[in-house]
Amino acid sequence: LLDIYDALGMVVIDENRLFRNITNYVDNMKRLVTRDRNHPSVTIWSFCNENDCENNEVAGPSFQAVCDAYDGTRPTLANMWTFNDLLSNTIDVQGFSHESRDHLDQCHEAL
C-alpha cells in the first residue's frame, strides 16, 4: 500500500501496534522503520495508540532510539490520554485520545 500512497502523494502515519519495553516489541519497531523508511508518504512514526500507550511509558526511550538510529528524519508520535510523563516527554508529537478541550488547554498552558 505504501507504494500506492507514494504515487498518489498521500500522507501516512506509520504505526506500530505492539508497545512494551520488551526486546521483541522494540525489534518490531526497528523492522517497521527499516522496511518503510524509503517511502516518502511516511511522515511520522507512531509508537502506540490509545490503550497500548498506557502504563508502558518506559518503552518510549527504546522506541525513540530505534527511530533515531534507523531513520532520524521523521518525528515520532504516541496517541494517548496522559501528558507530561516519560513517554510524552520522549516523543516529538503529542497525540491525545478522546480528551476534553479543557484538558488540551491545560496541556498547552503547561508548554
Side-chain angles (χ1 to χ4, degrees):
L1 285 176
L2 290 178
D3 290 331
I4 295 169
Y5 299 151
D6 294 344
L8 293 173
M10 296 181 76
V11 176
V12 174
I13 296 173
D14 208 345
E15 186 168 84
N16 174 66
R17 296 302 294 172
L18 301 171
F19 184 69
R20 302 279 186 282
N21 199 23
I22 299 170
T23 301
N24 187 30
Y25 287 11
V26 175
D27 286 346
N28 284 342
M29 188 72 201
K30 175 184 170 185
R31 283 192 293 278
L32 175 86
V33 171
T34 56
R35 181 193 69 204
D36 297 345
R37 65 186 170 190
N38 292 320
H39 287 279
S41 60
V42 176
T43 58
I44 194 166
W45 305 115
S46 179
F47 296 165
C48 54
N49 194 350
E50 297 179 349
N51 287 334
D52 286 338
C53 296
E54 302 306 309
N55 303 314
N56 295 305
E57 65 184 70
V58 295
S62 297
F63 276 64
Q64 185 71 41
V66 164
C67 291
D68 290 343
Y70 293 96
D71 179 30
T73 65
R74 293 176 177 93
T76 56
L77 163 76
N79 188 38
M80 54 200 176
W81 292 290
T82 60
F83 175 73
N84 204 21
D85 59 11
L86 177 62
L87 179 55
S88 65
N89 289 321
T90 300
I91 56 175
D92 300 308
V93 179
Q94 172 74 52
F96 291 102
S97 291
H98 316 288
E99 291 295 336
S100 69
R101 180 62 190 218
D102 290 338
H103 183 87
L104 297 176
D105 289 341
Q106 291 170 6
C107 294
H108 285 143
E109 287 174 19
L111 293 173

